């Protein structure tokens, strides 16, 4: 877990350095060329630079240990800062790109100067962004392999959105550079600023899409998403195999930070067990679960009767399907 955080810091630091240099170069090129697409890309890089700072802050603050006021730690704070990144991408990048594009289409921009400096900046920016993108892609692929998931499935399920944020930002940046190049080139070839305006608007659409994807990922994590379904299935199976357990009534898991899972299980114990037997079994099973899955941080096991009507109704209400029949011990709702 610490190694993954160090890798995330490296990914963000590399992206920050690349975006800062690119943003300065694009601003100069936008002023010299008068290109709307270049101005949109300059705003994009400024937003990305600001975003990397937010991600660094999120990594630092979310790594603080648990305390009395926050007994489960500060892991979810990372999702707040990454959600702010999505807001910044839209507010600082997409809206400005739309504004520049509409202004150009309405004819409010003067003729474009020699675009040579623009092409040069775009080419250098593409190389620098590609370096940052390659680092982010390498980390996301490695994390996906470690989880045994295809990369797309990992992006959808991950509870560590920092490297995914950088990958999506850099992917959008590379695509945006191509759009800016096309807008700049078509403007030069046709003499019509329409293409430059279209390029800027398309960059705005691209940034809006990235902001929506990042927002969706972090909203799910902030509202308390379930742990990896494979972890839930394995935990259910392990608890169901315990000799003291007649029935796994319910399992609830909540992700509350990168690689940090809270697991709560309601279990119907054998009626012949003493209170001491139940206590020792709970300690043993919690230890086994944490040993099998290092991301399980806290385990709460509650002894319950499986035939309680109110509890049964709550389980059915949560999962939207009937609880399994009592004849199948070791299974659950």
């Amino acid at each position: 877990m610490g190694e993954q955080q160090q890798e995330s810091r490296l990914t963000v630091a590399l992206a920050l350095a690349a975006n800062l240099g690119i943003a300065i170069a694009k601003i100069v090129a936008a002023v010299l060329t008068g290109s709307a697409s270049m101005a949109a890309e300059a705003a994009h890089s400024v937003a990305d630079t600001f975003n990397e700072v937010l991600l660094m802050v999120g990594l630092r603050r979310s790594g603080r240990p648990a305390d009395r006021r926050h007994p489960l730690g500060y892991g979810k704070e990372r999702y707040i800062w990454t959600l702010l990144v999505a807001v910044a991408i839209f507010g600082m990048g997409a809206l400005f790109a739309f504004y520049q594009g509409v202004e150009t289409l309405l004819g409010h921009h003067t003729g474009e100067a020699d675009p040579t400096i623009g092409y040069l900046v775009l080419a250098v920016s593409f190389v620098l962004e590609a370096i940052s993108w390659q680092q982010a892609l390498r980390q996301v692929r490695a994390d996906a392999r470690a989880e045994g998931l295809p990369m797309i499935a990992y992006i959808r399920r991950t509870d560590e959105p920092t490297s995914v944020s950088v990958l999506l930002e850099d992917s959008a940046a590379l695509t945006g550079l191509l759009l800016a190049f096309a807008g700049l080139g078509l403007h030069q070839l046709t003499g019509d600023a329409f293409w430059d305006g279209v390029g800027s608007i398309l960059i705005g659409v691209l940034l809006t899409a990235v902001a929506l994807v990042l927002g969706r990922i972090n909203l799910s994590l902030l509202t308390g998403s379930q742990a990896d379904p494979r972890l839930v299935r394995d935990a259910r199976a392990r608890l169901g195999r315990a000799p003291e357990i007649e029935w796994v009534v319910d399992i609830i898991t909540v992700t509350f930070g990168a690689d940090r899972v809270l697991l709560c299980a309601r279990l119907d114990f054998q009626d012949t067990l003493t209170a001491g037997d139940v206590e020792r079994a709970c300690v043993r099973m919690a230890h086994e679960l944490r040993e099998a899955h290092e991301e399980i941080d806290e385990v709460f096991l509650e002894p319950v009767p499986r035939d309680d009507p109110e509890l049964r109704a709550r389980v059915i209400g949560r999962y939207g399907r009937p609880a399994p029949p009592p004849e199948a011990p070791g299974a659950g709702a």
Side-chain angles (χ1 to χ4, degrees):
M1 189 157 56
E3 185 178 332
Q4 186 185 41
Q5 181 144 332
Q6 288 301 320
E7 189 73 13
S8 293
R9 289 180 189 275
L10 173 62
T11 298
V12 174
L14 187 59
L16 174 60
N19 282 316
L20 180 60
I22 291 169
I24 295 171
K26 284 180 181 176
I27 290 171
V28 173
V31 171
L32 293 177
T33 64
S35 166
S37 296
M38 184 61 71
E41 271 300 294
H44 179 184
S45 291
V46 169
D48 280 354
T49 303
F50 177 69
N51 291 342
E52 309 314 334
V53 174
L54 292 179
L55 291 175
M56 289 291 281
V57 172
L59 281 170
R60 186 177 186 84
R61 291 183 61 85
S62 65
R64 290 177 293 169
D67 54 36
R68 182 175 295 181
R69 292 189 62 189
H70 297 85
L72 296 180
Y74 293 81
K76 280 200 172 188
E77 192 166 332
R78 187 177 306 189
Y79 308 146
I80 293 286
W81 291 96
T82 314
L83 184 62
L84 289 176
V85 166
V87 174
I89 288 174
F90 180 73
M92 296 176 64
L95 291 181
F96 185 79
F98 285 131
Y99 170 78
Q100 286 290 315
V102 171
E103 284 281 289
T104 300
L105 293 179
L106 293 177
H108 295 169
H109 281 280
T110 58
E112 189 177 71
D114 182 4
T116 303
I117 185 66
Y119 294 135
L120 180 61
V121 167
L122 288 174
V124 173
S125 298
F126 195 90
V127 172
L128 293 177
E129 288 285 7
I131 294 172
S132 175
W133 177 83
Q134 188 175 36
Q135 164 64 20
L137 180 64
R138 186 182 70 80
Q139 183 184 351
V140 172
R141 277 182 171 169
D143 292 343
R145 280 195 301 270
E147 295 288 335
L149 291 170
M151 195 168 75
I152 298 300
Y154 171 78
I155 290 174
R156 288 175 177 169
R157 293 186 189 180
T158 184
D159 57 8
E160 212 300 61
T162 304
S163 58
V164 171
S165 298
V166 175
L167 178 63
L168 291 177
E169 284 180 11
D170 288 347
S171 298
L174 290 173
T175 307
L177 288 169
L178 295 177
L179 291 172
F181 185 88
L184 206 62
L186 288 171
H187 186 179
Q188 183 184 19
L189 288 173
T190 64
D192 190 348
F194 168 82
W195 298 107
D196 195 23
V198 169
S200 183
I201 289 175
L202 289 177
I203 290 170
V205 171
L206 174 68
L207 294 180
T208 300
V210 171
L212 288 173
V213 171
L214 279 179
R216 183 182 178 87
I217 290 172
N218 287 279
L219 182 62
S220 173
L221 292 167
L222 281 170
T223 51
S225 62
Q226 178 184 256
D228 188 325
R230 296 172 301 175
L231 181 151
V232 178
R233 286 194 297 269
D234 183 70
R236 184 185 296 278
R238 287 176 183 275
L239 292 171
R241 289 195 299 266
E244 300 90 348
I245 303 303
E246 284 194 0
W247 186 267
V248 180
V249 178
D250 191 16
I251 287 185
I252 299 172
T253 59
V254 178
T255 298
F256 63 95
D259 288 327
R260 300 190 69 189
V261 173
L262 170 68
L263 185 147
C264 303
R266 293 186 173 111
L267 307 170
D268 186 2
F269 284 81
Q270 298 280 351
D271 292 337
T272 56
L273 297 177
T274 66
D277 293 335
V278 172
E279 290 169 352
R280 285 186 289 273
C282 286
V283 171
R284 190 195 73 245
M285 289 186 290
H287 174 74
E288 290 173 353
L289 288 172
R290 281 194 289 262
E291 201 170 55
H293 301 280
E294 63 178 11
E295 60 266 50
I296 295 179
D297 195 64
E298 294 287 350
V299 178
F300 296 95
L301 303 177
E302 179 186 5
V304 297
R306 65 184 175 189
D307 55 357
D308 180 77
E310 182 180 346
L311 179 58
R312 179 179 172 84
R314 286 172 63 87
V315 174
I316 292 174
R318 180 182 302 117
Y319 299 109
R321 58 185 174 85
E327 301 85 65

